[in-house]
Structure formats: C-alpha cells, structure tokens
Amino acid sequence: MAKYKIALFPGDGTGPEVLDEGIKVVRAAAAKFGFSLDTALFDFGGERYKRTGETLPDSAIEEFRKFDAIYLGAIGHPDVKPGILEKGILLKARFELDQYINLRPVKLYPGVETPLKGKGPEDINFVVVRENTQDLYTGMGGVMHEGTPNEVATQTAVYSRFGVDRALKYAFEYARKRGAAKPWRGLGQKDLAEGKTAQLTLCGKTNVLTYLYGLWERAFHEMGVEYPEVKRDYAHVDATTMWFVKNPEWFDVIVTGNMFGDIITDLGAMIQGGMGIAAGGNINPAGVSMFEPIGGSAPKYTGMNVINPMAAIFAGQMMLDHLGETEAALAIEAAGVKFLNSGLIKGLSVKEIQEAGLSTSKIGDLIADYVAQG
Ligand code: IPM
Ligand code: MN
C-alpha cells in the first residue's frame, strides 16, 4: 500500500479550519482508494512570528524536503506588516524548494456562479502555468534616500534562459498531456487536420518588455517545434485580462511570467466563482511540491467555522493528482461538484453558508461522505 508523507502547514487566519476539511476529504479518498497518509504538523505563520520573531527557518526547509508534498492553509496576519510573512514564509518555501511552477486551473464547475454574463462551464476551463521563482519576485533592486524627497527605488525583473526553458517545458508537456486526454474544444478544422490537440498561449508583453518577453518568445517558439501537437498562440498580458472577461473560451493552457501570472490568476479565480474555490500548486517536478487554496487567510472569519473550504479541498485534489493518485483526485473533484449541485447551498459566501445552515466543517463532512460513497 502506498504511503505518502504529507507536511500539514495550516498557517494563519482561516487556514487551519479549511485545511482540516481538506485533509478530512483527502483521508476519505485514501481510505477508499487504498493508500495511506503519514502527516506532520508545522506551525509556522503569523502567530509564531509574533511570539518568536521566526518566519520559516532553514531547518524547516530541510524538514520539508523529507515529505512527498506540503499542504498549506494560508499565510497572512493582520498584525504583521505586509511582506514579512509573504517573503519570509511563502516565497521562501517556493524559492528554497525550487517550486518553479505555479499551476492554477481556472475551471468553472456546474452549479457555481460566474460574474461573466452568458458564460458557463464549457467556456471557462483553462490552466495557467505561472513561472514561480524569477521575475520581479527575485528581490533584486534597492532603495536609497528612503523617506526623503530624493528617494529612488528599483526592483528588477530577472529571467534566465534556463528558468524560462524549464517553465516552458513544463507548460508544453502539460498541454500535450491535457490534449491527449481530451483534445481542446477550441481547435479549428485546420488545426485538427494538422494533428493539433492542444493550445498553449504565451502571455507576455513583447511590445514593451522587449528584452524579457523577447527571451520568452524566442524560447517558446524554439521549444514549440518539439511539440507539433500543441498549437502556439500569443497574447499580451493586458489583452489577456480583456479576453478572460470577454472570451475565456479562447484559452486552453497559458504560460506566463511570475508577475503577470500573479495578476491574471486572481482574475481567473474570480471568473471561476471566486477566491473561495480556486486552488493552486507550487510545483517542483523533481522535488517537493506545495498545494494551497489561493484565497488568503480571511482574518475576520478566523475560528468561526463559516468559511467555505472548497478551495482547500480542490488543492487536496491537485496534491493527490500530483502524487499519482489520479482516481482519488477525480473522486474528490466529483464529490466537490456533487456538493455544489446538491441544492444544499445557493452560493459560497459566508452569508449563504450560514443561511443554508452549513459550516466549514459540515461542508467537509458532506464532501468526505460523498467521496466515501462515490
Ligand atoms: C499568490 C499570492 C502571493 C504571490 C503573495 C501572498 C506573496 O498573491 O500566491 O498569488 O504574490 O505569489
Ligand atoms: Mn496572487
């Protein structure tokens, strides 16, 4: 029987509550599909920082390396100055564990409301592959004469060919695999005649950031030759945001830099029904990956058992998929969709959860039961 070592990292705010439900559902899937979990708890986060001044020590990174995956709740504390926990914990884990891909599926499930008029689940189903270790996030730059009228600040976007190539490789492989499982619905006659099964859109800014996205574009087309079944497409980042709203059905797989990826995936989360449903994976294909709901720590609802745990549950699905437990992952997705369509709930806001007489833990119980019965 397969046994996976999972580092549970609840973090701040509502992170612990939603992660409890996520792991409950993952455990239900483990019981049903015949594998087991060996979990360990890591309490890094805002509270610990306030107590000890410690964010994420190097020793924790070394500990994490011994796990098959990390399952994260949320990072962010209202009493801690922005940047400290983000950089000291979340970004440190991503960088030190070389999780160079941030994978964000944007999928509108039936039964979930999108703010986009006239769009449904058949229109909103794409995946963003965001580079996760370079760009403006490297922290290169500095400030001088801080706090004076002469203040100067720089923060430089950095891309190495190596870093771009490995992100592109992941994206092309991902697109190829996705297309092989189910050809992308947006392909035209000509594409089909050419044997295309998937589309990969490079989202950049080649009209202004000519050095940075010039590198991306050359690397994209050079590598693309090795993936004849993947149709290559390009969109500027500003236009991408427009099309997410107007024509989300135009996208299959998108690959982009860290900063643009950060921005467009929040928009992606909104069109798939909100931050409460969107999950992501920080992936090192050859190392330890970390899965998280992308919604944040929602401090004002901490400890109230009212927040929707769907994003954490779908992050659990992504984690099992990554570990190779494909059937278990699909079962979690199916159970989540069953809940969303059960008629038990009108929407996923705190108000709607309360009106339905549900709670964070009740939703977790229901979905875990659906997995067990499924
Ligand atoms: C995300 C978040 C993080 C990011 C923050 C919290 C550092 O917004 O995961 O998208 O910018 O990557
Ligand atoms: Mn973000």
Side-chain angles (χ1 to χ4, degrees), residues 52-81:
T52 67
E54 183 173 62
T55 48
L56 186 65
D58 294 342
S59 58
I61 299 286
E62 290 317 309
E63 277 299 303
F64 281 155
R65 290 189 206 282
K66 299 177 191 153
F67 288 81
D68 294 307
I70 305 166
Y71 197 9
L72 176 66
I75 296 295
H77 196 293
D79 303 343
V80 182
K81 191 172 152 225

Side-chain angles (χ1 to χ4, degrees), residues 159-341:
Y159 269 110
S160 67
R161 177 72 194 237
F162 165 76
V164 169
D165 274 341
R166 67 180 185 173
L168 286 172
K169 176 137 198 302
Y170 185 91
F172 274 112
E173 293 287 337
Y174 191 94
R176 170 146 82 187
K177 204 171 150 209
R178 183 170 152 100
K182 189 168 183 246
W184 180 51
R185 66 208 179 292
L187 294 164
Q189 290 296 333
K190 187 168 161 285
D191 302 324
L192 293 168
E194 286 172 5
K196 303 277 190 256
T197 57
Q199 174 181 268
L200 180 62
T201 303
L202 171 65
C203 166
K205 189 71 185 170
T206 53
N207 54 348
V208 177
L209 304 179
T210 48
Y211 306 134
L212 284 178
Y213 281 95
L215 191 170
W216 272 91
E217 196 176 38
R218 272 180 285 114
F220 179 65
H221 290 298
E222 274 173 39
M223 191 176 289
V225 175
E226 293 163 40
Y227 297 86
E229 65 278 67
V230 179
K231 180 181 178 180
R232 272 169 275 153
D233 176 46
Y234 173 82
H236 291 319
V237 63
D238 46 352
T240 301
T241 62
M242 181 175 81
W243 287 324
F244 271 21
V245 174
K246 195 167 174 287
N247 296 103
E249 68 280 6
W250 286 357
F251 295 106
D252 180 13
V253 181
I254 298 173
V255 63
T256 191
N258 204 349
M259 190 74 255
F260 293 167
D262 179 46
I263 297 166
I264 68 171
T265 53
D266 268 21
L267 181 54
M270 287 320 288
I271 67 173
Q272 74 180 116
M275 295 302 246
I277 205 154
N282 300 278
I283 296 182
N284 175 345
V288 186
S289 300
M290 178 167 76
F291 297 85
E292 54 173 335
I294 76 171
S297 58
K300 74 175 182 190
Y301 298 119
T302 303
M304 291 170 66
N305 197 22
V306 294
I307 198 102
N308 143 41
M310 296 304 295
I313 292 170
F314 287 134
Q317 172 207 337
M318 289 183 77
M319 179 170 77
L320 292 187
D321 194 48
H322 179 79
L323 292 171
E325 295 294 342
T326 319
E327 268 186 276
L330 286 172
I332 292 181
E333 183 173 43
V337 171
K338 186 169 171 187
F339 167 70
L340 293 167
N341 288 284

